[in-house]
Amino acid sequence: MEPFSIFVDTSCDLPQEYLEEHGIEVLPIPFSLNEVEHKGGYWQEISSKDYYDALRNGGEAKTSLINSSVFAQCFTELAEQGKSALFIILSAPLSATYQSALVALEQVKQQHPDCQIYPIDSISATVLNSLLAQQAVKKRAEGLSAEQTAAWLEEKKHTLLGFFTVDDLMYLHRGGRLSMISAVSGSLLKIKPVLNLQPDGTLALKDKTRGREAALKLLVDRFMKGISPDATVETVVISHADCEDDALRLSELVREAVKVNEVQITLIGPVIGAHVGPGTVALGFEANMTREEYEARFYQ
């Protein structure tokens, strides 16, 4: 069986070395900074430091979506070459990119009804999309087909939990994720929120605390609730928006709390960074329950 192709968009924050090593293709979600468009994806046209410094200094970043014509061209090339592929795409409630992929696939199937192309609504972003992509790599290495791997990921994605804290609530307000009243009052009071990805892939503000250290410890507390007390966790992914010291501190807290085989620390790319802002820290892991079960047990 010929190995299938794996595609991600730029809401997935895997290091460039990993992408290249495992042949993962990247479809860029367009973004702009101060009305200057960038189509390179990650940091091809601007450094992460310059990007986040610009945001700190009042710059405005916006994101778009991957147009259906881009997907259609990619799908058509794959179909004409007889290749199979799966696409791990930013959570549908957070972006219309997944819907663009479905529109394109319907068009391409009119000419290539047997094409083996599988778009996946990750119901996730950043750290969790990284975990999904790594799981796809493992399943491909085990000999599974694109169809089998896509079906497996559709189940697995519900057990991936992600929590994050931001440095400034105003970025979430600008992206439509938080009311102005909550954003302003939180910023004035130095409240540090902890948010998560809901079972349907939307964001929710779950906890509030004061101070950065308290927020990082709360991330670990939420993490510990999702694993078995005596478990050895295979992989934890920590992503940060130009605040590496905080990511390292979070890694330290995680390792103090539980045995972990690997803690990956990555940089949040410009697409997600535009909506969460500099100073964001995210933690993702595979839980011993689904998101629905976690919500019912700890938030209701």
Side-chain angles (χ1 to χ4, degrees):
M1 182 184 299
E2 183 178 347
F4 57 88
S5 299
I6 299 171
F7 286 77
V8 297
D9 60 38
T10 42
S11 68
C12 176
D13 293 321
L14 282 167
Q16 187 65 33
E17 310 83 66
Y18 186 92
L19 296 170
E20 293 176 356
E21 179 183 355
H22 297 283
I24 298 176
E25 303 285 343
V26 178
L27 291 177
I29 296 175
F31 71 95
S32 66
L33 177 63
N34 295 329
E35 300 185 353
V36 176
E37 292 188 6
H38 297 265
K39 298 181 179 180
Y42 291 110
W43 309 113
Q44 291 88 342
E45 300 167 1
I46 185 172
S47 72
S48 59
K49 183 64 176 173
D50 287 346
Y51 180 79
Y52 284 116
D53 279 348
L55 294 184
R56 290 186 180 99
N57 292 325
E60 184 177 13
K62 297 180 180 179
T63 62
S64 183
L65 72 155
I66 301 175
N67 193 283
S68 61
S69 63
V70 174
F71 278 117
Q73 180 179 349
C74 182
F75 293 171
T76 299
E77 291 174 358
L78 289 166
E80 290 177 347
Q81 295 170 16
K83 294 182 178 180
S84 57
L86 59 84
F87 290 72
I88 298 170
I89 300 172
L90 174 60
S91 176
L94 302 182
S95 169
T97 293
Y98 177 68
Q99 185 60 37
S100 289
L102 295 184
V103 170
L105 184 58
E106 184 176 353
Q107 294 172 349
V108 172
K109 280 192 171 183
Q110 293 176 9
Q111 298 295 324
H112 305 278
D114 298 326
C115 67
Q116 301 295 306
I117 296 169
Y118 304 94
I120 298 171
D121 172 10
S122 67
I123 60 169
S124 299
T126 185
V127 287
L128 301 188
N129 284 12
S130 297
L131 283 170
L132 270 182
Q134 291 177 71
Q135 294 284 5
V137 167
K138 291 179 181 178
K139 292 302 169 183
R140 182 175 63 182
E142 292 172 7
L144 271 66
S145 67
E147 182 178 17
Q148 291 169 329
T149 301
W152 192 86
L153 293 181
E154 287 289 355
E155 293 293 326
K156 179 62 62 175
K157 69 185 184 182
H158 296 286
T159 64
L160 299 183
L161 271 61
F163 297 87
F164 67 100
T165 185
V166 301
D167 196 44
D168 189 339
L169 290 163
M170 292 305 296
Y171 291 96
L172 289 167
H173 164 67
R174 291 170 194 163
R177 305 301 172 192
L178 200 65
S179 73
M180 174 62 84
I181 294 175
S182 296
V184 171
S185 62
S187 295
L188 291 175
L189 295 172
K190 305 299 182 184
I191 288 174
K192 301 302 179 187
V194 169
L195 302 95
N196 77 345
L197 282 154
Q198 295 286 93
D200 64 354
T202 57
L203 297 179
L205 176 56
K206 291 299 189 179
D207 304 281
K208 297 178 183 179
T209 186
R210 291 197 181 188
R212 189 64 156 185
E213 180 75 4
L216 297 179
K217 288 181 177 178
L218 191 52
L219 289 176
V220 176
D221 177 72
R222 286 301 177 191
F223 160 63
M224 293 298 295
K225 285 180 167 59
I227 63 172
S228 301
D230 57 348
T232 296
V233 180
E234 181 60 34
T235 304
V236 171
V237 181
I238 296 171
S239 287
H240 67 93
D242 198 34
C243 53
E244 186 177 19
D245 287 347
D246 289 329
L248 292 170
R249 174 58 179 154
L250 180 57
S251 174
E252 184 179 81
L253 291 171
V254 166
R255 290 191 179 278
E256 288 174 357
V258 68
K259 184 176 180 181
V260 183
N261 287 338
E262 181 182 24
V263 177
Q264 301 173 5
I265 297 180
T266 63
L267 184 64
I268 293 176
V271 171
I272 301 302
H275 297 283
V276 298
T280 296
V281 184
L283 183 152
F285 61 99
E286 182 179 348
N288 64 355
M289 65 188 80
T290 65
R291 291 187 194 178
E292 290 88 347
E293 291 167 339
Y294 190 99
E295 290 288 319
R297 187 174 302 183
F298 300 114
Y299 286 124
Q300 295 182 6

